[in-house]
């Protein structure tokens, strides 16, 4: 039997699970301030959903989907991202618009694993469906920033661009195609294919020689139609006014087909931990997706954050757990300890009792292994004086507490 997890997956051991839970709680608190409610959609959907939204020419659809045919001959795929499933559900249940939804859950992409890039990874995502005004873009970006600040991550900047709309993009596409045709002999093989299928995607290329050439290429940001230009300018002005750190990046086109107008990524400014996987999250407008799915014309915008990348950026979690470990030193104290452990649990204080066959030293060792924050020692001395010896393993202090004051002391 293979005793290891599949390539590209991760186990969240208790310490990491605690940190994951903490991040998710901060996320829930932050998005609630902006009126978001939770939606839970399936981990697999009909494959067609992703072909029609994420996009036929994207890496996600062409190379990274976990697709399979089930026993009923249905073509299904593990979700590579959350947006299509959420939009599908909004249409299926005809949710009243506008609606602000958030989700937390695993996504699946068959990628080459490396630090910060996995085949199973968690996203924390939001989708606002039915709001067209640029103020919504600003609120969403501000919310992302507020979340990172709430986590204590102050080194995150928003890279932002506009990718236009079906009015300005086709004209620009032709202009870019002409530029690429002129440089065809100098760009990489992948970009030659991109130039044919989806020219804007060339800006995603990681090859340095291609990037050098594209610096002189025409940019969509400089070729927006009047409405897209106005929308983008309001977003940029207001971000500056609200002092949200951002950087215009005209080469950023994002790797999904449904984007229109504002697109953005939350990037670590100092990415020692993450190297090239420095994008903690990304998103943008997708004003045509609902219509592409057969719904009415409905503007939308959202983003998704990578949970594992946030964990890497935060660094190793602190190991302290709110747990009291009770060590009785004899059988009389053990009987007392049994009552105490249940009294503490009844008062909502997590507690565990040492195995009576284990001595003080072994008990302290277990408390350490379990990362407890407190140890209560009960011996004959404590029983006679009606006190407990309370060790604070974080502050490294020890004191005697009257037995009837233990709950209020632990709750402080
Ligand atoms: P995305 O840029 O493909 O956008 O993914 C968003 C974030 O998910 C990335 O910035 C990264 O932090 C994380 N992520 C992506 N792939 C991996 C991976 N293989 N391993 C670890 N983390 C990863 C979307 O998924 C869009 N649905 C976002 C969106 C929502 N746009 C509008 N609404």
């Amino acid at each position: 039997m293979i005793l290891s997890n599949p390539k590209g997956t991760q186990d969240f051991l208790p310490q990491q699970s605690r940190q994951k839970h903490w991040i998710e709680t901060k996320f829930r608190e932050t998005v609630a301030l902006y009126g978001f409610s939770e939606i839970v959609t399936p981990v697999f959907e009909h494959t067609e959903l992703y072909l029609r939204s994420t996009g036929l020419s994207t890496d996600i659809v062409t190379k990274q989907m976990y697709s399979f045919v089930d026993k009923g001959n249905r073509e299904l795929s593990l979700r590579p991202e959350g947006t299509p499933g959420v939009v599908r559900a909004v249409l299926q249940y005809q949710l009243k618009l506008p609606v602000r939804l958030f989700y937390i859950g695993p996504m699946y992409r068959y990628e080459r694993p490396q630090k910060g890039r996995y085949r199973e990874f968690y996203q924390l995502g939001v989708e606002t469906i039915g709001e067209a005004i640029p103020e919504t873009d600003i609120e969403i970006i501000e919310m992302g920033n507020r979340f990172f600040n709430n986590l204590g991550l102050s080194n995150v900047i928003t890279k932002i661009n506009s990718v236009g709309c079906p009015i300005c993009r086709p004209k620009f596409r032709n202009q870019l195609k002409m530029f690429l045709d002129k440089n065809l002999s100098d760009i990489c093989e992948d970009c030659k294919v991109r130039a044919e299928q989806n020219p804007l995607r060339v800006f995603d290329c990681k090859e340095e020689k291609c990037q050098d050439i594209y610096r002189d290429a025409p940019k969509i940001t400089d070729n927006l139609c009047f409405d897209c230009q106005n929308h983008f300018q309001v977003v940029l002005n207001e971000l500056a006014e609200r002092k949200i750190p951002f950087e215009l990046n005209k080469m950023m086109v994002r790797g999904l087909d449904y984007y229109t107008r504002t697109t953005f990524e939350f990037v670590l400014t100092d990415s020692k931990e993450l190297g090239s996987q420095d994008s903690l999250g990304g998103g943008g407008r997708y004003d045509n997706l609902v219509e592409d799915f057969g719904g009415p014309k409905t503007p939308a915008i959202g983003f998704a954050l990578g949970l594992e990348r946030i964990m890497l950026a935060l660094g190793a979690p602190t190991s302290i757990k709110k747990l009291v470990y009770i060590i009785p030193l004899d059988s009389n104290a053990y009987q007392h300890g049994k009552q105490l452990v249940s009294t503490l649990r009844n008062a909502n204080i997590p507690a565990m009792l040492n195995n009576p066959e284990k001595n003080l030293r072994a008990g302290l060792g277990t408390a350490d292994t379990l990362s407890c924050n407190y140890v209560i020692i009960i011996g004959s001395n404590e029983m006679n004086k009606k006190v407990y010896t309370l060790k604070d393993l974080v502050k490294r202090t020890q004191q005697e507490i009257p037995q009837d004051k233990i709950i209020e002391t632990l709750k402080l």
Side-chain angles (χ1 to χ4, degrees):
M1 193 174 84
I2 309 170
L3 262 190
S4 60
N5 54 320
K7 187 170 175 184
T9 67
Q10 288 207 106
D11 295 304
F12 289 82
L13 300 180
Q15 202 155 306
Q16 285 106 29
S17 287
R18 263 201 300 283
Q19 192 184 37
K20 173 174 176 287
H21 191 254
W22 178 76
I23 295 169
E24 290 171 359
T25 304
K26 291 273 180 205
F27 183 73
R28 285 170 190 277
E29 286 168 4
T30 310
V31 301
L33 292 176
Y34 292 77
F36 284 81
S37 306
E38 185 166 18
I39 184 165
V40 180
T41 62
V43 165
F44 56 86
E45 296 268 1
H46 295 286
T47 298
E48 194 197 351
L49 184 79
Y50 302 110
L51 306 188
R52 294 197 36 190
S53 52
T54 312
L56 283 170
S57 68
T58 59
D59 278 358
I60 295 181
V61 164
T62 54
K63 301 180 189 158
Q64 299 173 350
M65 291 239 284
Y66 279 90
S67 299
F68 58 98
V69 178
D70 78 357
K71 291 188 171 64
N73 261 338
R74 296 172 194 89
E75 298 206 7
L76 302 169
S77 292
L78 295 185
R79 60 181 181 197
E81 52 145 345
T83 311
V86 171
V87 174
R88 192 259 314 138
V90 167
L91 280 172
Q92 183 176 342
Y93 301 103
Q94 298 180 0
L95 296 191
K96 271 212 175 116
L97 302 182
V99 65
R100 292 185 161 200
L101 301 167
F102 80 88
Y103 50 92
I104 300 176
M107 309 289 156
Y108 300 85
R109 295 184 193 175
Y110 191 80
E111 297 209 65
R112 205 156 39 79
Q114 63 184 76
K115 200 172 185 185
R117 199 209 276 157
Y118 310 98
R119 291 179 177 172
E120 182 189 60
F121 59 97
Y122 283 76
Q123 279 188 346
L124 310 150
V126 294
E127 311 295 348
T128 301
I129 300 174
E131 293 181 38
I133 53 174
E135 282 70 18
T136 305
D137 310 25
I138 298 151
E139 277 217 321
I140 295 282
I141 294 171
E142 180 195 83
M143 182 171 77
N145 267 271
R146 186 187 287 261
F147 172 62
F148 290 119
N149 283 330
N150 287 348
L151 293 179
L153 286 175
S154 52
N155 50 347
V156 180
I157 192 165
T158 304
K159 292 201 173 160
I160 191 166
N161 194 18
S162 174
V163 293
C165 71
I167 294 171
C168 43
R169 213 179 307 156
K171 269 189 245 159
F172 170 71
R173 223 180 113 109
N174 292 339
Q175 211 180 321
L176 179 62
K177 179 85 174 58
M178 271 159 58
F179 173 89
L180 294 172
D181 286 346
K182 266 194 238 150
N183 290 279
L184 215 52
S185 53
D186 298 323
I187 61 179
C188 73
E189 291 307 309
D190 278 353
C191 279
K192 285 180 189 154
V193 178
R194 290 178 183 125
E196 273 312 309
Q197 292 181 350
N198 192 344
L200 249 88
R201 184 104 334 118
V202 297
F203 291 112
D204 264 347
C205 181
K206 300 283 176 284
E207 297 264 342
E208 220 160 276
K209 66 168 185 183
C210 292
Q211 286 293 318
D212 279 346
I213 293 169
Y214 303 148
R215 264 184 267 281
D216 297 327
K219 306 288 177 337
I220 178 76
T221 338
D222 303 322
N223 291 278
L224 297 172
C225 62
F226 183 76
D227 287 347
C228 285
Q229 177 58 37
N230 263 353
H231 184 102
F232 195 44
Q233 205 50 55
V234 175
V235 174
L236 295 182
N237 291 349
E238 183 85 14
L239 286 177
E241 215 158 280
R242 295 194 192 189
K243 301 200 169 25
I244 293 168
F246 74 92
E247 191 181 287
L248 177 62
N249 183 344
K250 296 183 180 180
M251 304 258 279
M252 190 184 68
V253 287
R254 310 255 312 121
L256 300 125
D257 272 359
Y258 47 65
Y259 287 120
T260 53
R261 294 195 167 173
T262 314
T263 50
F264 55 90
E265 284 187 11
F266 300 113
V267 178
L268 267 186
T269 48
D270 136 33
S271 66
K272 272 199 303 286
E273 282 306 325
L274 283 156
S276 59
Q277 308 305 310
D278 59 357
S279 178
L280 297 185
R285 276 208 163 268
Y286 49 96
D287 288 345
N288 300 310
L289 188 58
V290 175
E291 212 179 352
D292 290 348
F293 277 2
K297 183 145 186 57
T298 310
I301 180 167
F303 67 66
L305 313 176
L307 178 96
E308 293 81 357
R309 293 190 189 176
I310 294 173
M311 288 176 73
L312 284 166
L314 285 169
T318 50
S319 62
I320 298 309
K321 185 161 58 189
K322 271 206 153 192
L323 180 63
V324 180
Y325 199 76
I326 303 166
I327 310 179
L329 300 181
D330 56 39
S331 57
N332 187 25
Y334 183 68
Q335 291 311 320
H336 185 93
K338 281 210 293 200
Q339 280 169 17
L340 179 62
V341 78
S342 97
T343 307
L344 293 185
R345 286 173 184 160
N346 289 343
N348 277 329
I349 298 173
M352 277 178 69
L353 185 61
N354 193 36
N355 177 340
E357 285 160 21
K358 293 200 171 153
N359 64 15
L360 177 63
R361 213 171 140 215
L364 289 172
T366 308
D368 189 45
T369 309
L370 292 172
S371 310
C372 297
N373 52 345
Y374 287 113
V375 168
I376 290 176
I377 299 169
I378 323 172
S380 53
N381 181 33
E382 282 83 0
M383 290 296 283
N384 292 337
K385 285 166 69 183
K386 291 207 177 317
V387 296
Y388 297 126
T389 296
L390 180 68
K391 276 169 99 62
D392 185 323
L393 299 187
V394 182
K395 295 189 191 138
R396 307 211 163 273
T397 56
Q398 178 168 319
Q399 55 179 322
E400 284 189 350
I401 305 288
Q403 289 186 355
D404 57 358
K405 295 274 184 288
I406 191 68
I407 289 179
E408 61 191 83
T409 308
L410 290 171
K411 282 201 161 168
L412 276 180

